Amino acid sequence: MTTAHTFEPPPGMEEVSLRFTPHVLRPLPPLAQEMFETFMLAFGGRAVHLYGYSFLGGGSGEPAAALEPSPYPDGRGAWERHALPRVRQICDGLRSEDYDSWPLEQIAQAMPGYFAEAGRGFAYTMQPLMVAAGPASALMVFCGEKLGDVGNRDQLVAALVQGVDNESAARGRKLEALAPLVQASPALLAAAREGDLEAARAAAGGEAFGEAFDAYLEDYGHGSQTWWELHTPTWHESPGAALRLLAGYVADPSRGPVAAHARSAAERTATIARCEAALTDEGDRARFQELVEGAVDYVFVIEGRAHWQQNCVGALRPVCLALGRKLVERGALASPEDVFQMRLGELAELVANPSGAMLETIEARKAELASWADLAPPMTLGPPPPRPPAGAPPNPIALMFGGPAEDTGDPLLLKGKGASRGVVTGRARVAFSLEEAEALQPGEVLVCPFTAPSWMPAFTTAAAIVTNQGGVLSHAAIEAREYGIPCVTGTESGTERIPNGATVTVDGLEGTVRIHAD
């Protein structure tokens, strides 16, 4: 591991508590960093980057872009009927322009405004989450007070809001619905296994499949594959992962999203029944039923806004790549993708004076970014964040991000958050990207910093999931329960301490990961 870099608060931020950004899997190149900074300012936060890694802290708390208060009192209405139409309009508008027909200077002038527009869409995705958090918080209070004998409060609440319709579950079920079309011919299925869309279209049955698959990608192919990675192609640009995933559903429907969602819904029904049986007071039972009904939209909202947050990132790729292509034509860039190695101000200067002056700098930045990927950023910098006030109600949003990991004093034992029940022993597969996660073999344990909605291949193959970040309502935890596999989140150092290929035992109830010495 590289040891030449140390993570310290940047000048002027020494007294500010900086928290490592959840969802960041790898260091970001300059343009993606600037996008993230713009998004955080729109939400009222502040982002700083050290060696490409994102930290939050020192923001005003006042969003620069905010919707008017929702007229709908429930989280589902606040998201689906109030915020989502505006977010969709922003993303569709950014993607619909024919940027290649624009002069180079016009694209460059539009870029800062488009980054701000995408940031506005991101800020809009966050407001409904606050509405949905209220009922979930009330359920947490009730479970802590009345159902302590049934199980751990946080795990209990997670199970009670699990197995309901949400965007991530729909993403998988709608892809699996295409499985019968893939089976139209051996050649079509073989092309899907290879991730070759052109060959799939040319195979017998390929025309019907191609039309259905294109429609699917219109809904689920325009977002970034991994959180905040503006520089990585979307499924719409590079659909191989989606095709290979679909072929896997054909091979083993029992591990597909439809069967998994049914199992998750059944588990939720059983958990509700178990809680109701433990509540002997009729008034408590009625209150519990009311709270569960009120909190049911929490996962619906957080997974919906996650999908559209990734769309806000993906919506910026067309304008960035168009600018990159035009700069290649002027000899200022070697590849359109090199645009992501520069910041907006540098791009404006390059457009004003196109030359090859930045070519060496860009190559140096690529090498630097690759070296930073070997670093292990700490979860916090500066003074510790303030604790919630005494008597403050529990915050379900904190269950997305989790808290500090417990130090076990044993280098072979990690303690995080038990996020999905079950005990599994298997070989660890450490992955920092969707491409690396695709190499996962049946029976292996996926060890990663975090996951994103497009990481579904991991959940159909993995025996268990271990993450550095997140709590029992993080995306990894939600999807692990959806697929019925053990999950431990918030280990902080899983990808650093667990060697790739090591044998590990994951206990998703206790939240432990044991590394076997052999």
Side-chain angles (χ1 to χ4, degrees):
M1 176 169 292
T2 302
T3 59
H5 302 293
T6 57
F7 285 84
E8 298 291 344
M13 300 285 286
E14 294 87 351
E15 302 303 317
V16 177
S17 177
L18 298 174
R19 185 183 68 189
F20 183 55
T21 306
H23 314 107
V24 172
L25 304 179
R26 297 177 289 188
L28 300 175
L31 197 59
Q33 291 180 30
E34 186 155 7
M35 177 204 69
F36 185 76
E37 293 159 12
T38 302
F39 281 21
M40 292 303 103
L41 285 172
F43 181 54
R46 179 179 177 182
V48 296
H49 290 89
L50 297 175
Y51 312 119
Y53 291 97
S54 305
F55 290 81
L56 297 176
S60 67
E62 294 295 326
L67 283 170
E68 69 279 4
S70 171
Y72 307 102
D74 61 300
R76 181 179 290 259
W79 166 243
E80 198 169 42
R81 302 171 67 184
H82 186 60
L84 177 56
R86 274 83 161 186
V87 178
R88 187 190 299 272
Q89 183 180 35
I90 289 171
C91 291
D92 289 349
L94 289 172
R95 287 194 293 105
S96 64
E97 295 286 356
D98 180 16
Y99 298 110
D100 286 327
S101 68
W102 291 16
L104 172 63
E105 293 74 15
Q106 183 180 352
I107 299 177
Q109 290 170 2
M111 289 274 283
Y114 282 170
F115 270 55
E117 181 78 349
R120 186 164 63 92
F122 169 82
Y124 290 173
T125 69
M126 296 299 293
Q127 289 181 236
L129 184 58
M130 309 308 172
V131 179
S137 177
L139 180 61
M140 290 176 69
V141 172
F142 183 92
C143 289
E145 293 177 349
K146 302 287 186 178
L147 292 167
D149 293 338
V150 177
N152 173 278
R153 182 199 70 180
D154 294 349
Q155 292 178 346
L156 195 59
V157 170
L160 290 170
V161 298
Q162 193 64 32
V164 298
D165 285 339
N166 64 80
E167 196 68 85
S168 293
R171 180 191 189 108
R173 293 201 305 272
K174 290 178 181 178
L175 183 60
E176 189 177 9
L178 304 182
L181 295 175
V182 176
Q183 295 173 293
S185 70
L188 176 50
L189 180 55
R193 286 174 177 152
E194 293 298 319
D196 189 337
L197 182 55
E198 184 177 346
R201 293 187 194 278
E207 183 177 354
F209 167 74
E211 291 177 0
F213 188 68
D214 287 345
Y216 175 83
L217 290 180
E218 273 303 303
D219 290 334
Y220 295 101
H222 291 293
S224 58
Q225 289 193 32
T226 300
W227 296 100
W228 312 122
E229 293 198 356
L230 177 63
H231 55 298
T232 57
T234 64
W235 273 9
H236 196 273
E237 299 169 71
S238 182
L243 286 170
R244 289 187 290 269
L245 174 58
L246 177 55
Y249 294 159
V250 173
D252 187 2
S254 68
R255 293 188 62 85
V258 173
H261 187 69
R263 290 192 295 266
S264 182
E267 176 67 22
R268 176 176 183 267
T269 299
T271 303
I272 291 174
R274 199 163 66 248
C275 292
E276 289 177 341
L279 296 169
T280 57
D281 181 83
E282 186 175 338
D284 285 345
R285 195 157 48 246
R287 176 61 176 157
F288 170 75
Q289 292 167 347
E290 177 186 355
L291 290 171
V292 169
E293 183 179 350
V296 74
D297 289 338
Y298 187 72
V299 168
F300 175 86
V301 172
I302 65 174
E303 292 301 286
R305 56 101 222 174
H307 170 71
W308 282 94
Q309 283 180 354
Q310 292 191 274
N311 277 354
C312 288
V313 176
L316 285 172
R317 281 187 58 82
V319 66
C320 293
L321 289 172
L323 181 62
R325 286 189 291 269
K326 290 184 179 293
L327 286 171
V328 168
E329 293 172 1
R330 301 283 184 96
L333 296 180
S335 165
E337 289 76 14
D338 287 349
V339 71
F340 300 112
Q341 301 298 329
M342 303 179 66
R343 294 182 70 89
L344 288 174
E346 293 174 326
L347 286 168
E349 293 177 8
L350 197 60
V351 168
N353 299 287
S355 71
M358 289 294 293
L359 294 176
E360 289 188 12
T361 298
I362 287 171
E363 291 307 311
R365 288 178 179 178
K366 290 179 184 178
E368 197 171 44
L369 194 68
S371 72
W372 290 342
D374 291 330
L375 300 176
M379 294 296 105
T380 59
L381 292 175
R387 292 182 174 274
N395 181 5
I397 297 176
L399 298 188
M400 291 171 57
F401 302 135
E406 181 180 325
D407 184 1
T408 66
D410 182 346
L412 298 179
L413 182 65
L414 286 74
K415 182 74 165 71
K417 308 294 181 296
S420 183
R421 294 184 298 174
V423 179
V424 160
T425 297
R427 186 173 62 182
R429 173 75 66 171
V430 180
F432 290 86
S433 68
L434 178 57
E435 296 88 347
E436 293 175 355
E438 276 198 86
L440 196 74
Q441 299 299 308
E444 291 185 334
V445 174
L446 176 65
V447 181
C448 58
F450 207 82
T451 67
S454 56
W455 282 49
M456 285 187 298
F459 296 96
T460 58
T461 305
I465 307 288
V466 176
T467 69
N468 291 356
Q469 302 179 54
V472 299
L473 283 179
S474 65
H475 176 77
I478 289 170
E479 290 303 300
R481 291 191 297 271
E482 185 82 9
Y483 284 89
I485 57 177
C487 179
V488 175
T489 61
T491 64
E492 294 190 1
S493 57
T495 57
E496 182 182 7
R497 291 173 56 186
I498 300 174
N500 191 50
T503 299
V504 296
T505 295
V506 180
D507 188 328
L509 179 62
E510 296 298 323
T512 59
V513 183
R514 166 66 68 179
I515 306 169
H516 294 238
D518 57 356

